[in-house]
Amino acid sequence: MVRAIYSPEYCLQYLEQFASQEIFVTGLILGQITNSRENVIHLARTPEEKSTDNVSEESFTSDKQEPVKNLLGVSEAWVADHAKHVTRMLPGGVFVQGIFITSDEDIFEEPNYFSKVKSILNYMYRILNSNRFMFANCPDSNERLILHMSTNTKVLTCKSVEIGGPNKNTSIKPVEWKFLSKPQQWQRLDCYYEFDDVYPVIVKNSGISVKQQFQQILESAHKTIDSSVMFIDGELKDGSEQLEQIIKKKKSKNNTKTSQDLPKSMHVSLFVPFENALPETVEYLECDGSIHFSGVVSSSVFMYPKATVSEAIAAVKQDIIRSLASRFTMHCDALIDDNLLPEEKVCFNEPPRRVLVPVGSLYLCDYLFPGEAPAEALLSVRELLDLQITETDVICDIETPADTSEFDALDRDASSEELLATPQEASQFMYITGICFALFVLVISILVHYYDGIVDFIGKILTKS
């Protein structure tokens, strides 16, 4: 059976505008794979390469160079860097599924060009697979799409190729690409996941950086979120049930008329089982400080209505972790000092907050640092997604300013003004680092020491009653 891809009609118009002008273009295919259907949501042109010496997080702000005129001149690292930046903007359940090309060469028949395409895809796969929390890859498949439109014949061809494996003689499979004249319906799932956790900081002889500590926190957060149970609109659903079926049952229960419109959003709640919230083992360690995370991470995921509850669960959990990883990376890149703990100080820090940007009939996201205006999001959207939107299109209120009264009280009680660093404009998600030598160890010790006694005491009371 031939693999089928469904895409909005404007993607065809997007390709035709380059082909009609006989312009060589490469770009990314963004989409979602579910058991019921595979949808492409957007095609994003890769910006012209601006730096060949050092491709980094700041590459897309470097000085421009001469445009690449054919596929052989494309830098694999540049396309992979574009994929990294774009994946950060994708909600859970949406991935970079491959690349598209408009050119006058037949990339599937000429060995040098096809070898170059595989090289680009394999490089992109390795880069995205290096950070499973922020980037990740398409689930359960190593096949990637190659979409080509000839600037000579205007013929559109799509095929898939397996990447990431040792087999050099990779088979090419045909793919049927179907353009939809009507906008694709999406089911939106909104979740607000609250963080209020304290993590110890233990500085070893070799030291520890902010990035290293954040990686450990991501590991812990991923374990917690992955073990959580998801409720949709306050109810626990069967994992094999389709989102569309849930809506139909609700309409039938409420005796509503036969409207085909899906509700704008489903509310998702994540609950962590108590036994999974406890550490497996407790070590008595003297920590050098602590990081206190406080705030709410906003998650908005868009799923094909025939997707199952299990697929929606995976997408929501992935979205929260991807958002955390993206913020941590951006925050670390903005730091001047990579030292985790300042001496004798408590520091208030604010990772960037999330905003939504429209792409067709759904939303992708971007991140703004404190003090940045929606205009800042327009720059990355235009550069990375090749979209022309206005400031009014950017939804900035999904994460509101946080309540900092607790930390203001700490500031008032401090004997020295230097004890608390001056906070910037508050955002919904923040963390605080500080010195906490004995307190954290004391609390853990008390809990571990008395936990078994408390359980036995409660058991005896229940037995007598």
Side-chain angles (χ1 to χ4, degrees):
M1 185 177 179
V2 177
R3 181 179 178 183
I5 307 292
Y6 295 84
S7 168
E9 198 169 39
Y10 77 81
C11 289
L12 175 60
Q13 300 166 357
Y14 185 72
L15 294 170
E16 289 176 338
Q17 70 173 338
F18 299 126
S20 62
Q21 300 174 37
E22 299 185 351
I23 300 176
F24 168 75
V25 170
T26 59
L28 306 176
I29 301 172
L30 314 179
Q32 181 181 96
I33 299 176
T34 63
N35 291 330
S36 54
R37 199 162 90 171
E38 187 170 348
N39 292 287
V40 165
I41 64 172
H42 186 62
L43 303 178
R45 178 182 184 178
T46 299
E48 294 178 1
E49 190 168 351
K50 303 171 185 178
S51 174
T52 56
D53 297 330
N54 183 26
V55 177
S56 66
E57 293 294 326
E58 289 79 27
S59 326
F60 288 90
T61 60
S62 306
D63 295 333
K64 287 188 177 182
Q65 295 186 351
E66 290 295 323
V68 177
K69 296 182 179 179
N70 60 63
L71 185 61
L72 298 180
V74 173
S75 166
E76 290 90 342
W78 182 255
V79 179
D81 202 47
H82 182 213
K84 283 171 55 180
H85 284 77
V86 168
T87 303
R88 186 181 294 163
M89 307 172 75
L90 301 179
V94 180
F95 302 88
V96 175
Q97 291 184 227
I99 60 174
F100 73 87
I101 301 166
T102 61
S103 68
D104 57 359
E105 306 95 2
D106 190 337
I107 62 173
F108 297 110
E109 295 297 330
E110 298 185 27
N112 289 338
Y113 288 103
F114 187 66
S115 177
K116 182 67 174 182
V117 172
K118 289 195 297 181
S119 177
I120 293 172
L121 290 174
N122 275 292
Y123 195 97
M124 184 190 305
Y125 176 85
R126 290 196 300 271
I127 293 298
L128 297 186
N129 214 32
S130 64
N131 190 328
R132 61 191 178 98
F133 293 134
M134 183 162 61
F135 303 123
N137 277 285
C138 296
D140 304 325
S141 174
N142 287 348
E143 289 190 4
R144 295 295 180 271
L145 299 174
I146 306 171
L147 180 63
H148 178 256
M149 176 168 278
S150 170
T151 56
N152 293 328
T153 64
K154 309 301 184 292
V155 173
L156 187 68
T157 306
C158 184
K159 298 184 179 182
S160 68
V161 60
E162 186 175 348
I163 49 90
N167 186 11
K168 295 183 179 180
N169 299 321
T170 307
S171 61
I172 310 172
K173 299 179 182 178
V175 175
E176 184 181 5
W177 198 286
K178 299 181 179 181
F179 293 99
L180 304 174
S181 57
K182 295 181 180 180
Q184 168 65 55
Q185 275 193 323
W186 296 94
Q187 181 55 57
R188 177 171 174 171
L189 297 97
D190 289 328
C191 178
Y192 295 92
Y193 190 83
E194 183 175 0
F195 278 89
D196 189 15
D197 300 312
V198 178
Y199 298 92
V201 176
I202 301 171
V203 181
K204 300 179 181 179
N205 293 333
S206 58
I208 186 170
S209 67
V210 177
K211 289 184 179 180
Q212 290 173 323
Q213 184 67 30
F214 280 173
Q215 186 64 25
Q216 295 176 10
I217 292 173
L218 274 175
E219 294 280 354
S220 176
H222 175 263
K223 181 179 178 181
T224 300
I225 293 173
D226 193 52
S227 66
S228 63
V229 178
M230 189 173 92
F231 287 73
I232 297 179
D233 290 335
E235 297 179 358
L236 186 62
K237 303 295 184 181
D238 183 358
S240 62
E241 191 173 12
Q242 293 182 351
L243 300 178
E244 191 177 54
Q245 293 173 343
I246 296 176
I247 301 301
K248 290 180 179 179
K249 289 181 180 179
K250 182 171 290 188
K251 288 181 178 179
S252 176
K253 185 177 180 180
N254 295 335
N255 295 322
T256 56
K257 295 182 179 181
T258 57
S259 172
Q260 298 299 320
D261 295 332
L262 295 176
K264 292 182 178 181
S265 174
M266 290 179 169
H267 179 69
V268 176
S269 303
L270 293 179
F271 295 92
V272 181
F274 180 72
E275 61 271 16
N276 293 333
L278 294 175
E280 295 180 359
T281 59
V282 177
E283 298 180 6
Y284 294 89
L285 298 173
E286 186 173 316
C287 59
D288 300 278
S290 67
I291 297 182
H292 178 199
F293 280 88
S294 179
V296 178
V297 173
S298 172
S299 171
S300 291
V301 168
F302 297 83
M303 300 295 297
Y304 179 57
K306 293 186 181 295
T308 63
V309 169
S310 295
E311 290 171 330
I313 289 174
V316 172
K317 292 180 178 180
Q318 180 191 68
D319 185 70
I320 296 172
I321 291 296
R322 181 185 285 176
S323 179
L324 280 178
S326 299
R327 297 170 203 245
F328 288 169
T329 301
M330 296 176 69
H331 181 72
C332 290
D333 291 340
L335 292 177
I336 299 175
D337 184 8
D338 196 39
N339 182 28
L340 186 61
L341 288 175
E343 295 182 1
E344 305 300 332
K345 285 187 178 180
V346 176
C347 291
F348 182 91
N349 295 268
E350 299 172 76
R353 64 190 178 95
R354 199 176 206 176
V355 296
L356 299 182
V357 293
V359 176
S361 55
L362 48 71
Y363 288 89
L364 305 189
C365 71
D366 198 10
Y367 297 92
L368 298 179
F369 282 96
E372 288 186 336
E376 298 293 333
L378 299 185
L379 297 176
S380 54
V381 169
R382 291 169 182 171
E383 184 80 357
L384 300 174
L385 300 178
D386 199 18
L387 279 173
Q388 299 299 321
I389 62 174
T390 63
E391 287 189 40
T392 57
D393 295 324
V394 182
I395 300 177
C396 300
D397 59 353
I398 59 169
E399 291 185 348
T400 56
D403 182 8
T404 60
S405 57
E406 177 184 350
F407 312 113
D408 294 337
L410 177 62
D411 191 17
R412 290 192 299 270
D413 295 339
S415 59
S416 170
E417 292 183 359
E418 293 183 355
L419 183 62
L420 185 66
T422 303
Q424 300 170 342
E425 181 182 353
S427 64
Q428 179 66 33
F429 184 61
M430 56 192 172
Y431 72 93
I432 300 162
T433 59
I435 308 301
C436 63
F437 287 99
L439 180 60
F440 187 81
V441 179
L442 178 62
V443 172
I444 293 297
S445 301
I446 293 173
L447 289 176
V448 173
H449 183 72
Y450 288 106
Y451 177 75
D452 293 334
I454 293 172
V455 172
D456 292 338
F457 178 71
I458 295 175
K460 290 178 181 178
I461 294 175
L462 293 177
T463 302
K464 291 180 179 180
S465 60

